[in-house]
Amino acid sequence: MGTPGIDFPGLGVGLVILRDRKILLYRRMRAPEAGHWSIVGGKVDHMEPSEQAARREAEEETGLSIGRVNLLGVTELISDADAQHWISLLYVASEFDGEPQLTEPDKLSDFGWFSRADLPQPLSAFAAAAIEKLKSGELL
């Protein structure tokens, strides 16, 4: 059958989590874009609504209980360096309970809240696309 993102384009989700006009970013440890700072997210499972996948992935990766999410847009990553191709639906949330944690240390190494003026580098393509979409709506 093959592996999503490697043998055929994968469908993913990303969730921008906002607090006080700051965005929660995590440093990735795995391809694609290992070492880059990114929004949380992952693969959409078969028969799983994408909004639900965004909430699930965020809760697994941060330990937060995510409330309402809104569609922000769509982005695509074709990484020759990682030989991966992903299409991701981007969502945004500012309603959540708890404090972020490092719940998947095998996938993510660091995290923090960042303002638009103080973004860590390098940013993942997904984070950069989401931040551009947020700027147009002045949410960040």
Side-chain angles (χ1 to χ4, degrees):
M1 179 181 290
T3 303
I6 295 173
D7 298 315
F8 54 88
L11 178 61
V13 290
L15 183 64
V16 175
I17 301 172
L18 295 174
R19 178 172 74 185
D20 301 325
R21 297 180 59 90
K22 292 185 177 181
I23 184 172
L24 180 61
L25 297 174
Y26 280 77
R27 188 187 304 258
R28 297 180 53 83
M29 294 179 62
R30 295 183 180 173
E33 300 186 303
H36 289 65
W37 288 87
S38 191
I39 58 178
V40 295
K43 181 176 69 74
V44 177
D45 292 334
H46 184 252
M47 302 302 292
E48 180 182 34
S50 60
E51 180 179 313
Q52 188 175 347
R55 188 177 288 108
R56 174 185 53 77
E57 286 285 351
E59 289 177 356
E60 289 173 2
E61 293 179 5
T62 68
L64 297 172
S65 178
I66 306 296
R68 184 172 51 99
V69 300
N70 294 310
L71 183 64
L72 186 60
V74 178
T75 191
E76 183 173 29
L77 170 72
I78 299 175
S79 174
D80 291 331
D82 296 313
Q84 293 200 30
H85 182 183
W86 287 92
I87 298 167
S88 284
L89 301 166
L90 302 174
Y91 290 88
V92 61
S94 57
E95 297 175 4
F96 58 88
D97 289 321
E99 286 297 320
Q101 303 169 31
L102 195 56
T103 59
E104 294 185 327
D106 58 318
K107 296 179 184 177
L108 306 166
S109 64
D110 298 302
F111 69 93
W113 294 99
F114 299 93
S115 69
R116 187 165 77 183
D118 190 30
L119 293 169
Q121 297 298 320
L123 279 179
S124 73
F126 293 126
I131 289 166
E132 280 303 310
K133 292 178 186 310
L134 286 170
K135 282 201 274 189
S136 66
E138 289 304 312
L139 297 174
L140 180 63

